[in-house]
Amino acid sequence: MPMRTVEDIIALLGGPEAAASHCGVGTEAIRKWRQARAIPAKHWPAVLTATGLSLSDLPGAPGETQKTEPTMASADTPPDGATGCLVLADGTIFWGRGFGAETATVGEICFNTGMTGYQETLTDPSYAGQVITFTFPHIGNVGTNIEDLESLTPAARGLIVKQDVTEPANYRSTRHLNGWLVSHGIPGVAGIDTRALTVRIRDLGAPNGVICHRADGKFDIPALRAQAAAWPGLEGMDLAKEVTCRQTFAWNETEWAWPDGFGQQVAPTHKVVAVDYGAKRNILRCLASAGCDVVVVPATATAEEILAHKPDGVFLSNGPGDPAATGEYAVPAIQGVLETKLPVFGICLGHQLLALSLGAKTYKLPRGHRGANQPVKDLTTGKVEITSQNHGFAVDPKTLPAHAKVTHVSLFDGTNEGIAATDRPAFSVQYHPEANPGPTDSHYLFHRFVEMMEASKANRG
């Protein structure tokens, strides 16, 4: 009689819950049995007692039948059907099913808790250098389209999901997620225990790793492990230069609205220069919708180049990488703008760069904040906002100078979420008020920036 499969044995035990009960484990362990296609030896006695099977019936147990149906011969040997894997820098391997581009990519492995907006997430330039683990299992079910793009070229290096990508079921879809990923050279791995991986990141910090998709199931694990271990990580890495625009351009597209789609700002009242450290399109749309004539300049623009446009205000965008590294060239430019006392508004990396320009310091968070359900308290109003966030670094509030104050704090971990200068019109937030994807609780910040510009223009006469 052929060796029983893990699925056969789970069925004989009465299903996953009953199997877990017989062996004194949780159902998460049963999922791991299925993933490895083997039952750990410590559970064999309980399984044999409950099912009446013999030892030779168990996959992975000693016996001649093991030769005809091998399980994992070693830690580096993929289980049957594995076409994708995640290899962490410490050597840990997660096996799965590859999709998207057939390639390997290295980066920081992070997790995102958002339940919608995976296309906006994948195209957010702030994810440069990162592989995204989605905690929501059904990624890809609404396909992709040409409107939900936050940048033309996706910056994320790959994605990890629980469930296989299904056919799209949304009227706005124009392309399957798999085909979209292939066209951009981005690999994905499905079938990984994303809950276990997320807990690992939560408890131990975001690791460096490589994800690899090989349709033939052949992996050079030692090489992938060495690649993961050799990658230097995001700390000290300036990525804004990789995702910024290459030349100055004007922006007048406004936010999307049913049923007309995107609009255009034809009667702006304020001139804003947006410094592009990796700006999301919807941030620019929010500025345009608030009545701004937006001019976008590269991350490396000097104060003189910014001020040459004669702006009423300056916006500092989101972006990827270590703010201290980007600050080498960004801080002098921002300080030059601050000296003019023009209104300044920063988001995400722009928030961190404003803090550095005021004299504060930043540090790397162990796991970061990524998702569309992050609670933040506005200390000015006492209100709590549910926010969209994506950042791995934070401002150290203890290093803020006397002429700056904390305005917002995270209700998850108490980290800084906003600051304001007290001697000039400059403020910033760590989160994403443009809300693509995410809630719209914080849209008021764009109007606060406009009010600041109006007051500044009134004072100038």
Side-chain angles (χ1 to χ4, degrees):
M1 183 176 178
M3 180 187 296
R4 300 275 188 167
T5 67
V6 169
E7 292 298 331
D8 291 338
I9 294 169
I10 292 173
L12 286 172
L13 289 168
E17 290 77 13
S21 177
H22 281 300
C23 296
V25 297
T27 55
E28 186 65 30
I30 309 303
R31 274 189 282 273
K32 291 179 179 178
W33 292 6
R34 286 170 159 165
Q35 185 178 25
R37 292 180 171 82
I39 299 173
K42 63 183 178 181
H43 298 310
W44 292 349
V47 170
L48 296 178
T49 300
T51 62
L53 297 173
S54 64
L55 189 61
S56 61
D57 293 322
L58 303 185
E64 289 300 315
T65 53
Q66 187 177 9
K67 297 178 181 178
T68 60
E69 191 177 340
T71 57
M72 297 179 65
S74 73
D76 291 0
T77 302
D80 292 342
T83 57
C85 67
L86 163 64
V87 181
L88 301 183
D90 66 1
T92 302
I93 304 173
F94 291 81
W95 297 105
R97 297 174 293 278
F99 62 99
E102 193 173 347
T103 187
T105 187
V106 63
E108 180 180 271
I109 312 301
C110 65
F111 66 85
N112 182 290
T113 60
M115 295 189 292
T116 61
Y118 57 81
Q119 189 177 0
E120 292 99 321
T121 299
L122 290 167
T123 55
D124 179 351
S126 295
Y127 278 106
Q130 294 177 304
V131 175
I132 306 169
T133 302
F134 285 99
T135 62
F136 185 69
H138 304 296
I139 300 300
N141 54 350
V142 297
T144 63
N145 60 66
I146 61 173
E147 293 183 321
D148 292 342
L149 299 172
E150 292 300 324
S151 63
L152 287 176
T153 304
R157 297 192 174 187
L159 68 158
I160 298 167
V161 299
K162 174 61 177 175
Q163 302 290 346
D164 290 332
V165 176
T166 60
E167 288 298 317
N170 187 278
Y171 75 99
R172 296 179 66 230
S173 175
T174 59
R175 193 173 193 181
H176 195 290
L177 175 61
N178 187 74
W180 183 83
L181 292 170
V182 170
S183 69
H184 289 290
I186 299 174
V189 180
I192 283 181
D193 186 347
T194 52
R195 291 200 296 183
L197 179 57
T198 299
V199 168
R200 181 189 180 95
I201 297 170
R202 182 198 67 189
D203 294 345
L204 303 178
N208 297 337
V210 177
I211 66 167
C212 183
H213 172 203
R214 290 292 303 267
D216 60 8
K218 296 178 180 179
F219 302 92
D220 187 344
I221 295 299
L224 295 176
R225 188 179 288 119
Q227 185 181 6
W231 196 65
L234 294 181
E235 198 159 7
M237 189 176 290
D238 173 27
L239 293 174
K241 285 182 178 178
E242 294 185 12
V243 297
T244 188
C245 58
R246 298 295 176 245
Q247 60 186 19
T248 298
F249 64 94
W251 181 277
N252 65 0
E253 187 174 83
T254 56
E255 295 175 87
W256 193 93
W258 174 262
D260 301 319
F262 299 117
Q264 285 193 332
Q265 177 56 260
V266 295
T269 55
H270 305 288
K271 181 73 168 286
V272 170
V273 170
V275 186
D276 177 16
Y277 303 112
K280 292 176 66 177
R281 287 180 165 187
N282 210 54
I283 290 178
L284 302 179
R285 294 185 190 113
C286 286
L287 288 169
S289 294
C292 300
D293 175 13
V294 182
V295 174
V296 185
V297 300
T300 54
T302 65
E304 291 74 19
E305 290 168 336
I306 294 170
L307 297 173
H309 294 281
K310 300 187 183 305
D312 298 312
V314 176
F315 173 75
L316 310 175
S317 86
N318 65 293
D322 188 336
T326 303
E328 291 293 324
Y329 55 86
V331 165
I334 297 169
Q335 288 176 333
V337 171
L338 289 172
E339 288 176 2
T340 68
K341 295 198 174 181
L342 280 173
V344 174
F345 174 30
I347 287 176
C348 195
L349 179 59
H351 160 71
Q352 297 157 1
L353 292 173
L354 176 62
L356 291 173
S357 300
L358 292 172
K361 295 182 179 179
T362 58
Y363 64 98
K364 193 174 191 306
L365 293 166
R367 64 197 63 82
H369 297 167
R370 298 176 182 90
N373 57 349
Q374 312 273 329
V376 169
K377 184 174 183 179
D378 184 337
L379 300 182
T380 303
T381 64
K383 293 181 178 179
V384 175
E385 305 163 25
I386 303 303
T387 68
S388 178
Q389 300 197 18
N390 168 26
H391 62 101
F393 292 81
V395 172
D396 183 352
K398 297 188 298 293
T399 64
L400 283 172
H403 57 276
K405 64 179 181 179
V406 173
T407 59
H408 297 74
V409 295
S410 168
L411 294 184
F412 272 161
D413 56 13
T415 55
N416 179 258
E417 293 284 357
I419 62 171
T422 57
D423 61 346
R424 65 198 66 214
F427 74 105
S428 59
V429 292
Q430 182 62 77
Y431 51 94
H432 284 255
E434 83 288 346
N436 261 34
T440 59
D441 295 23
S442 307
H443 265 192
Y444 70 91
L445 292 169
F446 293 100
H447 300 289
R448 179 180 292 180
F449 182 42
V450 168
E451 292 170 358
M452 195 174 279
M453 288 188 286
E454 289 172 347
S456 177
K457 288 165 73 173
N459 291 335
R460 295 199 305 266

